[in-house]
Amino acid sequence: MSRGDLVSKLLEIRSNWTLEDYRESYADEWDEMPTTVKECKETMEEYIYHTYDLDYLKEVIETEST
């Protein structure tokens, strides 16, 4: 699987996240917290794509899939 495929899979797993979920997971990581779920999803997608290495991305998918 490519990086893009893995990021898409993780986004699918997290498709029901609320603003609170994003805050809990990323408030310490992001400089500015988006104000809508849509903006959070877009920011998370970019963040994951550019920050997570492939092994970590696979680990997160495995953990969150169960």
Side-chain angles (χ1 to χ4, degrees):
M1 269 190 166
S2 71
R3 177 179 298 277
D5 291 339
L6 291 169
V7 170
S8 292
K9 179 141 181 87
L10 184 55
L11 291 176
E12 183 181 312
I13 291 167
R14 294 178 173 179
S15 64
N16 294 325
W17 273 27
T18 64
L19 278 173
E20 188 58 33
D21 293 320
Y22 288 105
R23 283 188 194 106
E24 285 178 21
S25 294
Y26 292 106
D28 294 342
E29 304 292 326
W30 297 346
D31 295 333
E32 237 179 84
M33 197 68 207
T35 57
T36 68
V37 170
K38 183 179 186 237
E39 290 172 336
C40 285
K41 182 179 177 183
E42 292 167 356
T43 302
M44 179 180 68
E45 182 176 6
E46 285 296 311
Y47 180 80
I48 289 170
Y49 190 87
H50 294 289
T51 307
Y52 290 18
D53 69 31
L54 287 177
D55 289 334
Y56 183 63
L57 191 49
K58 289 174 187 174
E59 179 183 326
V60 171
I61 289 169
E62 186 176 313
T63 301
E64 293 189 22
S65 291
T66 56

